[in-house]
Amino acid sequence: MADPVIVVITGAAGQIAYSLLYNVAKGDVFGKNQKVVLRLLDIGPMMGVLKGVEMEINDCAFPLVSDVVATDDPGTAFSGADVAMLVGAMPRREGMERKDLLKANAKIFKSQGECIDKVAKKSIKVVVVGNPANTNALICAQSAPSIPRENFSALTRLDQNRAQAQVAAKLGIACDAVKDIVIWGNHSSTQFPDLSYAKVLDGEDWVEASSKIQDDDWIHNEFVKTVQTRGAAVIAARKLSSAMSAAKAIGDHVKDWWNGTGPRIVSMGVMSDGKSYGIEEGLMYSFPVKIEGKGVYKIVEGLNINDWQRKMMDVTAEELSNEKKDAFQFLLSE
Ligand code: NAX
């Protein structure tokens, strides 16, 4: 068996991590033949709770878990790490402005990026989940200059999965009979869930999703709105934000990044290169990607973009550009 993969999960005492740890520990992400070392990072006041999580992982007697380390020291957590799932973040409290959230989290992701730069493997793969995920990922990447930009990403897979489930429900088909949905932009209510290239299974053949849906109004309005506001709808119903579905999406994202996607298109928040789809350089923007070699994504180029798509893609890019300006202003004023 290969060496264990060292996986850091931050926010490890929180609700997403509670599902995520189970998925990672039982082999859903790195495979049933791959051992893992779990490094659980949270803040000092959560160490009691985290101890309980560690006890439960031990009590599961997972055959694939070689070691569990629960800590509030980022240096211990990230040392020699292969993969980091950065879930922990300051939550948005009642009365808190988006800018306050951005400010609190900019500091966290700067210091985690600096720590990753110092002690993690240079090949580490980082997925940022804590909100605002895209801008936090950007700050983290910029704070770790010795690690390639391509090793940082932001999670938009939950939005992709939500979109896939909406199409499956609309057509009364299984979720795995829907593919190639694209999420453009920010993981926020400006994101653009796009069915322009989506395919659905018709018998043995993959056909254009729109030819089966036959409802452009739904594709342009209700579908987009439902996916954009799904997180808020879950909070309204559950009184807590998405956790099981977020954990599943993190697992899907890392599994595909680790193993490859083949010809499937998936969406990841990745660093824009200034050449793809007219998006300014240096934003952590969600693009359609394929992962051909292990761990190396490529933005899918050459998709046709109509005027409506252009407008939707630019709105979310503008939001990311403003978030970036605000976040870096906060960091400079520290
Ligand atoms: P919880 O509040 O249950 O858990 C967060 C945990 O992070 C807490 O235990 C907290 O102590 C810890 N934490 C805070 N600062 C930390 C730091 N500096 N280092 C390590 N740990 C730290 O939140 P949960 O529901 O698990 O959500 C976590 C984050 O995911 C939130 O920011 C949330 O907004 C974000 N989400 C992102 C999604 C995405 O698709 N990108 C979807 C789900 C989720 O809303």
Side-chain angles (χ1 to χ4, degrees), residues 90 96-111 131-132 135-136 139 323-334:
M90 173 80 81
M96 206 175 180
E97 297 283 329
R98 190 169 170 84
K99 282 200 173 177
D100 299 330
L101 184 73
L102 203 58
K103 193 172 181 177
N105 283 305
K107 273 202 268 181
I108 294 177
F109 286 86
K110 178 171 186 271
S111 73
N131 278 318
T135 299
N136 289 341
I139 291 167
E323 272 186 20
K324 177 181 173 179
K325 275 187 215 119
D326 288 341
F328 282 94
Q329 214 166 12
F330 294 142
L331 291 176
L332 286 174
S333 66
E334 277 300 300

Side-chain angles (χ1 to χ4, degrees), residues 214-246:
Q214 294 189 337
D215 185 348
D216 282 351
D217 184 53
W218 184 84
I219 290 174
H220 286 85
N221 297 299
E222 191 182 331
F223 164 74
V224 171
K225 197 85 209 149
T226 302
V227 177
Q228 285 176 335
T229 57
R230 187 68 167 180
V234 170
I235 293 176
R238 216 171 79 87
K239 316 294 175 225
L240 284 170
S241 56
S242 304
M244 182 189 1
S245 55

